[in-house]
Amino acid sequence: MKRFRRHGQESHRDRIKQELYGFNKTVEHGFPHQPSALVFSPSLQLLAIGTRSGAIKLYGAPGVEFMGLHDENAAVTQVHFLPQQVDLVTLLDDNSLHMWTLRAHQGVSELLEIGRFTLTGPPGASPSVTRVTAVLTHSSGDLLFLGTEGGHVFVVEVPGFRELEERNISLENVTNSLPEDYGGRRSLEHVESLQENPVNPRQVLIGYGRGIMVIWDLERQSAVKHIPATQQLESVWWTEDGGHVLSSHSDGSYCRWMVAGEGTQSEQEKSEVPYGEGASQVNVLPPFLFLSGGMPRASYGDRHCISVIHSKTHVALDFTSRIIDFFVIRDGPDHTGDPSALVVLVEEELVVIDLQTEGWPVIQTPYLVPLHCSAITCSHHVSAIPLKLWEKVLSAGALQNTHYSKKPWPITGGQNLSPDAPQRDLLLTGHEDGTVRFWDASGVCLYPMYKLSTAGVFLTDAEPNDNMNQCTEGEWPPFRKVGCFDPYSDDPRLGVQKIHLCKYSGYLTVAGTAGQILVLELNDEAAEQTVEATVADLLQGQEGFRWKGHTRLEVKEEPVRFPPGFQPFALVQCQPPAVVTALTLHSEWKLVTFGTSHGFGLYDYQQKSNVLVRCTLNPSDQLAMEGPLSRVKSIKKSLRQSFRRIRRSRVSLRKHHVNSAVQEANARLEAELAEMELAPVQRKIEARSSDDSFTGLVRTLYFADTFLSDSSHHTPSLWAGTNGGSVFAYQLRLPPVERRAEDPVSAHPAKEIQLMHRAPIVGIVVLDGHGSPLPEPLEVAHDLARSADMQGCHQLLVISEEQFKVFTLPKVSAKMKLKLTAIDGSRVRRVGVAWFGSSRSEDYGESGLTVLTNQGDLHVVSLPGVKLQVQYPCIRREDVSGIASCVFTKHGQGFYLISPSEFERFSLSARCVVEPRSLVEVPSQTPSTTLPRAQPDGSARRVMEHALLNDESEMCSLWGIEPATLMFATAMISPAEPH
């Protein structure tokens, strides 16, 4: 009977686990890393971006997002939507073509790959014969024209990817159609562009690299007109009336050719060279002309520009990084009205220009925001923000965004079916330039709310007038800088390393690379004030130590004007000015505690005075005196100097390389501070020497109201854990509320624990009499948590890199422990306390520890029993940056960087999941053309593969068949036949 009872208990626990836990990677926030292709579907109102890593991402109205990943590890070079359909085709740089569709499943759409194809040439033919360089999706909806490096054009039927050899356009046939006097019919080079006649789908324009363009009649299988351009061709645009073709060329010129009327040779009506050389793309939508590139290389070779010309208005939009592609959105239900917005994808951001508002302002993007405007150095998540604080942050952010257009977001495709966010969540990111950015992390879109800059407090090496993008009156070309990506950091000491926000009081602490800790409060009005620094000498006069790292930041002596928002009113400067490695704020007690590689301190920000300074430095640890940044300091300094030279000499630089390098350097620095080795090792737990470097580095700080001296009297306390396995506890004495501003706060040593294995301490949690973690400061006062149980015995949970150990309080005797690893070498890297609500019952939930290891695995450990509940693989063990950047939420979710510009969001909770749920419907308008339709080739499987993934009515329209015929074809397919 006992065995059966135990089995029943285990089954019950397994059911509870299923209700509480479940791992999902839910959505990717931010800007795609290394974008390589862009396309827009006017009928679907969807934007698609392909990347060098083989990802394909679709975006519509805010919240409408889809993502797919090619199996091949190859860059996406082109993306094309099929007209009036929910299908798209991608071309990879391995020359493979892939068909994707948005299939409706259980009320939402899914992006699925439904086919792939690679051109095969004649036996023994050169690879260039089938190397695809240009793709045209014909308006018939069932034909692809593939131009190749060898000059041929292949015709392929979709969705089955069947080559129609009888319709192929060979280079020989094109060459024979040219006049005898055309340069002896010299080599035409590759197919640069394929364009369909907007008013006659029987005609396709083939543009060759050498410059000549040929208009080919698809029914007559012959050339009807040729355009004798002689300069290297960059792009082609066929005007909407079909009467003219515009071409851009490598010499910076663009030409207008008349193609309507009689005669086989088109006449050049106009040729212009706006700036000098290098135009790469031209686009005409009356009354606008859009020209990409074309800047004189000698003077402006580092500029990435699109010129917009409208009547007498001429602006060269100067972007922050290399232009990938652009398109124009038009008004009207059929999207043929006046141009309303210019959408430009550059290497590091997406910029949308409002073309209907005077001055052509930028429209703020609700997604695809470049998180890495300056390299991300740390993150901090705050759940369930009170409405009052939320509105104040929004209000402060709105004052910063007055330069944006008031027009709504112009890309509106799909329906966002995600439920409203149950609470307001904030993600705060710290950056290398000293800024803290506030993001609305409540839903699918990570939306920018507010930006705080800390640089104004300090005297830095910044050169505000050293900006090559400043425009002067009468300047030609008429540059205008657009975009917000800026990887330059004038002083790396400004880098933000730790953030802590109290959502109830509105107090914020920000700590930096040079030992600076700012305390800020939220203010609705602008203020002008000085910020005086209080020095915390963590060495406390110890002899024999000399700091060899960077100097501290100098504080401005004169008053500084701070705009509405978070304003600094107190500053602590650690000495030596080492990186702040731990930071905690207790706004109820008006205290801030901070730690570095030399020790920790306690600061009273109400009285602006130090309460406690404790040195933890090991006398043998000389490495800590060199400064943790010494290894990357010199490279950052040289980069900074290089940036200034670049600004003055205007030499082109790939900025994303710099951003990536800084991000990687910060991640590696954090990992080095954690264990002084990057690669995980196979080993058993063993004692570490007290002579190891950075043993005094403070890893975690924690405030608790608990029992320290006896079991009858609880008192405020401060706990600190170090890299050498030491835990220090201090009893705090706070004066009564009425005397708080006058009487000093005092701290007295109470307990000290040394772990036998000297493993670094990564977390400290005190559990109350019910075994629950203590509530946050002011949480009980706001009736958002029950009071801690002060009747039963409290427990101290100390989390080291290698194990979870529970002690009783106040005696600090070991009670239980859980070893994370014995052989496989796993070590705790990140830990958080989360509440896991049941997915079936609103009234049930459990507290647990969320844990990330150096192997990239996620664990949930129960409280107070300290038992391993679930384990999931999440991040590659080699991804040092991703593991170092992980941040947990209070409700079982988390974020980590998958690139310098993207957060991957994940959930360990079965109830709390934020993911896109969107529906994209097939456009009601069906493709119309006078071309003979391609009929099914007899392979019922290929037809039905598409039918099973798409709407039945769409299939009938696409193939020109009756619904009854489609049903008959479905019935004829054997269920055992593979799809």
Side-chain angles (χ1 to χ4, degrees), residues 18 59 74 193 206 233-234 356 360 365 455 522 549 559 739 771 788 912:
Q18 292 176 3
Y59 301 90
S193 179
I206 309 170
L233 185 67
E234 297 285 345
Q356 296 185 334
W360 299 338
T365 56
L522 195 54
R739 301 286 303 169
C912 190

Side-chain angles (χ1 to χ4, degrees), residues 803-874:
Q803 65 183 9
F804 306 80
K805 197 164 187 177
V806 178
F807 299 87
T808 60
L809 287 177
K811 292 185 178 181
V812 193
S813 57
K815 182 178 181 182
M816 67 182 82
K817 65 182 176 182
L818 169 66
K819 290 185 179 181
L820 177 72
T821 175
I823 297 174
D824 65 1
S826 291
R827 300 182 185 178
V828 177
R829 280 287 170 266
R830 287 285 183 272
V831 65
V833 177
W835 174 258
F836 292 91
S838 169
S839 58
R840 297 183 182 179
S841 171
E842 290 288 333
D843 301 327
Y844 183 75
E846 294 181 5
S847 290
L849 290 176
T850 49
V851 180
L852 173 69
T853 73
N854 63 335
Q855 310 280 6
D857 295 333
L858 291 168
H859 302 258
V860 177
V861 176
S862 65
L863 291 176
V866 195
K867 293 182 179 179
L868 187 61
Q869 300 298 303
V870 287
Q871 174 182 348
Y872 306 102
C874 181

Side-chain angles (χ1 to χ4, degrees), residues 27-32 39-40 44-49 56-67 81 350 367-368 409 411-414 445 902:
V27 65
E28 293 178 3
H29 297 300
F31 183 79
V39 73
F40 178 68
L44 297 177
Q45 281 288 295
L46 290 179
L47 162 80
I49 294 176
I56 176 75
K57 300 190 176 188
L58 274 61
Y59 301 90
V64 176
E65 298 184 11
F66 303 94
M67 186 219 170
F81 279 101
L350 184 81
Y367 46 72
L368 290 171
W409 183 242
I411 300 171
T412 57
C445 294
E902 296 170 283

Side-chain angles (χ1 to χ4, degrees), residues 456-681:
V457 178
F458 305 101
L459 296 168
T460 68
D461 297 334
E463 300 173 17
N465 296 321
D466 183 17
N467 189 345
M468 71 176 188
N469 292 298
Q470 294 291 338
C471 295
T472 56
E473 186 138 0
E475 179 185 14
W476 187 262
F479 291 116
R480 174 187 152 200
K481 181 175 172 60
V482 287
C484 60
F485 174 70
D486 183 7
Y488 301 124
S489 175
D490 288 295
D491 196 330
R493 296 175 297 173
L494 289 168
V496 177
Q497 297 296 331
K498 296 292 176 183
I499 306 168
H500 195 133
L501 170 67
C502 175
K503 61 186 178 185
Y504 303 112
S505 64
Y507 284 108
L508 170 71
T509 53
V510 178
T513 302
Q516 71 273 25
I517 300 103
L518 281 168
V519 188
L520 308 95
E521 61 182 339
L522 195 54
N523 195 340
D524 295 333
E525 304 292 332
E528 189 169 331
Q529 60 197 37
T530 57
V531 182
E532 296 182 6
T534 300
V535 175
D537 182 7
L538 295 174
L539 294 182
Q540 297 178 300
Q542 292 196 32
E543 298 294 331
F545 291 108
R546 186 171 64 87
W547 174 249
K548 302 174 184 177
H550 50 264
T551 59
R552 57 181 278 185
L553 285 162
E554 295 299 325
V555 181
K556 291 180 180 177
E557 295 181 357
E558 67 278 6
V560 179
R561 182 173 179 80
F562 298 105
F566 283 96
Q567 299 169 348
F569 66 91
L571 169 63
V572 182
Q573 178 60 59
C574 295
Q575 197 62 31
V579 173
V580 176
T581 57
L583 180 72
T584 301
L585 165 73
H586 200 299
S587 53
E588 191 170 0
W589 300 342
K590 302 291 193 297
L591 298 174
V592 171
T593 180
F594 51 89
T596 73
S597 54
H598 306 117
F600 60 93
L602 180 64
Y603 177 74
D604 178 352
Y605 63 80
Q606 182 171 7
Q607 297 187 23
K608 296 184 180 180
S609 62
N610 289 325
V611 176
L612 164 70
V613 177
R614 168 72 184 261
C615 179
T616 57
L617 188 65
N618 190 306
S620 64
D621 187 3
Q622 290 297 324
L623 191 58
M625 299 311 298
E626 295 179 7
L629 273 188
S630 61
R631 304 176 188 186
V632 294
K633 178 183 61 176
S634 58
I635 189 172
K636 287 187 177 183
K637 182 178 180 181
S638 62
L639 282 173
R640 189 166 71 254
Q641 292 169 347
S642 298
F643 289 156
R644 295 201 182 115
R645 286 196 298 271
I646 289 163
R647 286 172 170 175
R648 286 190 280 267
S649 62
R650 298 178 178 181
V651 176
S652 178
L653 180 69
R654 287 290 180 88
K655 300 175 185 176
H656 74 275
H657 289 164
V658 176
N659 200 9
S660 301
V662 170
Q663 178 64 39
E664 186 69 15
N666 281 315
R668 288 183 179 277
L669 168 65
E670 183 156 359
E672 285 185 9
L673 295 181
E675 63 171 345
M676 299 309 296
E677 59 181 329
L678 298 178
V681 294

Side-chain angles (χ1 to χ4, degrees), residues 189-221:
E189 296 187 355
H190 64 281
V191 177
E192 179 65 43
S193 179
L194 289 170
Q195 297 283 324
E196 181 181 342
N197 189 334
V199 297
N200 184 359
R202 291 188 183 89
Q203 293 184 353
V204 170
L205 182 144
I206 309 170
Y208 291 93
R210 191 174 287 279
I212 195 166
M213 292 162 276
V214 174
I215 298 178
W216 190 265
D217 189 288
L218 299 175
E219 282 192 352
R220 290 160 51 184
Q221 291 288 296

